[in-house]
Amino acid sequence: MAITADKAKRYSGSGLLYLVLAVVSALSLLPFLWVVLSSLKPHDELYSKHLTFWPHAWTLKNYTQMFERMVGFGLYYRNSILVSCGTVVLTLFVGSLAAYALARFRFKGNRALLLIFLGTMMVPGEVGLIGQYELLSSYRLLNTLTGLTLSYSAFSLALTIFVMYSVFVSVPQELLDAARVDGCSWWESYWQIMIPMGASGLAAAGTLVFLNSWNEFIFALTMNNWSDEARTLPVGIQLLQGQWQHWDYGVLFSSVMLSFLPVIILFLLLQKTFMRGLTAGAVKG
Amino acid sequence: MIFLVALLVMIGALKVFGQMFIMTQGGPADSTLSMVLYLYNIAFRYGKFRFGYASALAWFLAVFIFLVAVASFRLSRERD
């Protein structure tokens, strides 16, 4: 945001552009900043008549209060992590294998299969809500972490195949041929060539899948909301409303902040790989 | 690229659910009811579990989104 004097001169032609960009980024960052600051405000300041942006007094009481009052928080957190990580592992494994087959093997219906997979990305997930509910209910998988993981994996698969296909197609065929001559089986060349070559793609797809399943709300709400044991974090946070009829904003903000933590950590860790992976398939033309 | 982003955001907005469900529950007097919230209510909220009608609504939404996508593609091609 801070533009130094000579840089500002260089960009003066596009000054308007930077103004617009600054306004837009401020618009998207301010609400988030407000939640961060509000989670550190004491209770009476949150509920006072005069709206404050910057806290007058700083406190961590909201966080300690949250752990006292939101009994299932740790459980919801664990559930969310298990479901999201399970989805990522399952989707990346199945999806990259499928992409490997689609990108590297010539068989009948290869093209059609790829188009069908990509076509499922066009269908909104909510269409499958009721069908999946009945399916999981007939397999006794409602209100289990396994059921939700399978459901999320089904939706994330198309995206993973899409990303991994564009990565795997750009791996030079000579490399695979050389491995084949040296006696590599298809399975070995998957593990020893495709996976290392597609690492950045895997990281990008994995991050997207993790974020999607971490934030997912409506499926978790319909399928895993019968008891505490399989409830995920977004649904758990939403329950804060029911427990006291009105939102306890201090507890709400601090729980939102903590639910945001893994996302920030993941993004900071994988930022570079993530960007590279997203553009890897795109630039090829 | 900007076209694709616009289309994706538009599709995402057509599928909006969480905001209404959490903040207003579709009220007051259904003025903030969205398509997905409506079909969720039909299927799981009103206690009758009318899955058939809700599935029909879901498919209507899917077809509508598909038509919006096709129309946007057509329009963007004409301008080029």
Side-chain angles (χ1 to χ4, degrees):
Chain A
M1 203 76 94
I3 305 170
T4 51
D6 58 320
K7 258 191 183 168
K9 210 176 283 173
R10 199 164 3 124
Y11 290 135
S12 58
S14 53
L16 193 67
L17 179 75
Y18 272 79
L19 189 70
V20 172
L21 284 177
V23 169
V24 170
S25 51
L27 273 178
S28 53
L29 278 178
L30 268 181
F32 173 66
L33 197 62
W34 203 335
V35 172
V36 178
L37 292 174
S38 294
S39 76
L40 297 167
K41 285 176 196 165
H43 185 269
D44 48 342
E45 190 177 338
L46 275 172
Y47 284 93
S48 78
K49 267 187 292 183
H50 310 287
L51 201 61
T52 52
F53 179 72
W54 201 257
H56 291 307
W58 301 79
T59 173
L60 279 173
K61 202 157 169 252
N62 289 324
Y63 288 88
T64 53
Q65 215 173 23
M66 184 201 70
F67 282 112
E68 280 164 25
R69 292 175 74 171
M70 200 172 164
V71 184
F73 187 82
L75 188 63
Y76 303 153
Y77 216 94
R78 188 205 68 153
N79 287 343
S80 259
I81 286 179
L82 282 180
V83 167
S84 304
C85 291
T87 307
V88 169
V89 170
L90 191 64
T91 322
L92 284 189
F93 182 62
V94 177
S96 65
L97 272 178
Y100 176 44
L102 288 168
R104 284 301 167 190
F105 293 91
R106 298 277 152 262
F107 54 90
K108 212 175 171 205
N110 176 319
R111 199 79 201 152
L113 208 56
L114 180 68
L115 286 179
I116 289 174
F117 273 130
L118 298 189
T120 60
M121 287 212 305
M122 293 286 292
V123 183
E126 285 77 4
V127 172
L129 180 67
I130 288 143
Q132 287 204 10
Y133 181 85
E134 292 209 303
L135 191 68
L136 289 186
S137 127
S138 62
Y139 282 105
R140 301 256 176 279
L141 282 174
L142 278 185
N143 215 29
T144 60
L145 296 180
T146 324
L148 203 61
T149 308
L150 287 175
S151 161
Y152 287 174
S153 303
F155 281 117
S156 314
L157 208 52
L159 177 78
T160 314
I161 291 176
F162 179 63
V163 173
M164 291 322 291
Y165 179 84
S166 56
V167 172
F168 283 167
V169 155
S170 60
V171 172
Q173 181 64 38
E174 288 79 8
L175 217 57
L176 285 169
D177 290 342
R180 197 90 185 108
V181 170
D182 286 344
C184 242
S185 70
W186 289 119
W187 186 248
E188 281 167 339
S189 61
Y190 166 75
W191 279 114
Q192 286 167 16
I193 295 170
M194 293 317 242
I195 290 296
M197 292 289 281
S200 63
L202 283 173
T207 317
L208 285 176
V209 170
F210 184 88
L211 289 185
N212 281 345
S213 22
W214 184 264
N215 293 327
E216 210 288 324
F217 182 66
I218 182 168
F219 276 78
L221 180 76
T222 42
M223 295 174 185
N224 279 20
N225 202 14
W226 305 107
S227 71
D228 263 340
E229 71 210 65
R231 200 171 274 146
T232 58
L233 200 50
V235 183
I237 290 177
Q238 178 262 329
L239 272 186
L240 281 175
Q241 185 184 33
Q243 270 169 295
W244 301 290
Q245 294 304 316
H246 64 95
W247 293 102
D248 185 333
Y249 286 113
V251 175
L252 174 68
F253 289 148
S254 49
S255 61
V256 165
M257 278 313 298
L258 284 188
S259 82
F260 202 70
L261 211 59
V263 177
I264 297 181
I265 293 173
L266 190 73
F267 196 74
L268 288 182
L269 279 180
L270 289 173
Q271 198 184 18
K272 277 204 176 120
T273 350
F274 181 62
M275 293 304 177
R276 220 184 316 138
L278 271 191
T279 49
V283 219
K284 195 171 60 85
Chain B
M1 200 65 185
I2 197 165
F3 163 73
L4 196 67
V5 172
L7 182 62
L8 286 177
V9 170
M10 194 152 63
I11 290 177
L14 282 170
K15 297 190 293 183
V16 68
F17 170 77
Q19 287 87 331
M20 282 92 165
F21 179 83
I22 292 172
M23 290 200 288
T24 64
Q25 313 265 320
D30 286 354
S31 55
T32 55
L33 196 67
S34 78
M35 189 74 179
V36 178
L37 181 54
Y38 182 54
L39 79 87
Y40 176 84
N41 283 343
I42 293 281
F44 301 105
R45 209 76 176 292
Y46 295 154
K48 286 185 189 153
F49 294 98
R50 293 172 64 191
F51 283 176
Y53 181 40
S55 304
L57 284 172
W59 272 109
F60 181 81
L61 178 69
V63 170
F64 184 73
I65 286 177
F66 181 71
L67 289 181
V68 166
V70 170
S72 328
F73 270 113
R74 281 276 164 76
L75 286 174
S76 80
R77 209 170 292 154
E78 267 168 27
R79 215 190 308 145
D80 291 344

